[in-house]
Amino acid sequence: MAGDEAALAEAYRTWGGMVQSLARRVLGDAQDAEDVTQTVFLAAWRGRAGFRPERGALSAWLVGITRRKIVDALQARTRRADLVAAAGSLLVADGVHGGYGGHCGSDAQAVLDRIVVSQSLAELSEPQRTVLTLSFFEDLTQTQIAQVTGWPLGTVKSHARRGLQRLGHCLESA
């Protein structure tokens, strides 16, 4: 697999079934197994310079990549399950009961959004979190925030700007 796309296609034809079978056996889901298979061959293509035939067969190298991608998929599944459980407990705690004709999907999305924003706010410095909380949740202007906190207006503006930038980076990576 020196970089030739035809070699990648040949490797996929030869070993794709093995990779997908291994992934399906561990994950128990055909769609997840297909996703892992694509990820494995994408990783193989990107990491093709790391393949050393003298260290082992191509199939063994692909199995190693497959094992790591299966672990990644299982970890992602666990994170999703934890997030859904947290969202479900918040839905119950908030008294939100979505019936078949209700807006459960949008309520659930709102809860998930709150969880993500709360986690991202927790990563900000205390002054940044204070300014953004007062601004967005208490609907205060920056001048009012300066009066409430006793900070100079320029300091409030700086905390707001840096806090929004950092919050944006946190939310992008969430």
Side-chain angles (χ1 to χ4, degrees):
M1 286 184 28
D4 182 356
E5 290 182 31
L8 177 66
E10 180 62 28
Y12 183 82
R13 279 191 297 277
T14 304
W15 303 109
M18 175 200 64
V19 167
Q20 191 164 358
S21 174
L22 180 60
R24 184 167 183 165
R25 194 171 330 128
V26 174
L27 297 171
D29 180 82
Q31 184 61 49
D32 287 347
E34 288 176 22
D35 292 345
V36 165
T37 301
Q38 288 179 351
T39 305
V40 165
F41 283 94
L42 180 61
W45 176 256
R46 288 182 176 160
R48 62 191 177 272
F51 174 64
R52 301 282 181 256
E54 64 274 6
R55 293 178 65 198
L58 176 61
S59 59
W61 186 65
L62 289 171
V63 166
I65 295 171
T66 302
R67 294 173 107 184
R68 287 188 297 277
K69 296 305 178 185
I70 288 171
V71 168
D72 292 347
L74 289 170
Q75 289 173 338
R77 184 185 285 175
T78 301
R79 283 190 304 272
R80 282 191 307 269
D82 291 346
L83 188 58
V84 167
S89 67
L90 284 175
L91 282 172
V92 171
D94 286 350
V96 175
H97 303 287
Y100 288 105
H103 298 286
C104 182
S106 62
D107 291 339
Q109 185 60 49
V111 169
L112 289 174
D113 289 345
R114 279 194 308 237
I115 291 170
V116 171
V117 169
S118 295
Q119 289 173 341
S120 297
L121 278 171
E123 294 183 29
L124 300 179
S125 70
E126 183 61 37
Q128 291 170 351
R129 185 171 44 255
T130 299
V131 168
L132 293 181
T133 300
L134 290 172
S135 178
F136 291 104
F137 298 117
E138 301 297 323
D139 203 27
L140 297 180
T141 66
Q142 290 180 338
T143 303
Q144 291 169 326
I145 295 169
Q147 291 169 346
V148 167
T149 61
W151 297 332
L153 181 59
T155 301
V156 170
K157 289 182 178 191
S158 294
H159 286 313
R161 182 180 49 79
R162 286 193 302 269
L164 285 171
Q165 287 174 336
R166 186 148 181 231
L167 185 63
H169 292 302
C170 291
L171 291 172
E172 284 174 4
S173 65

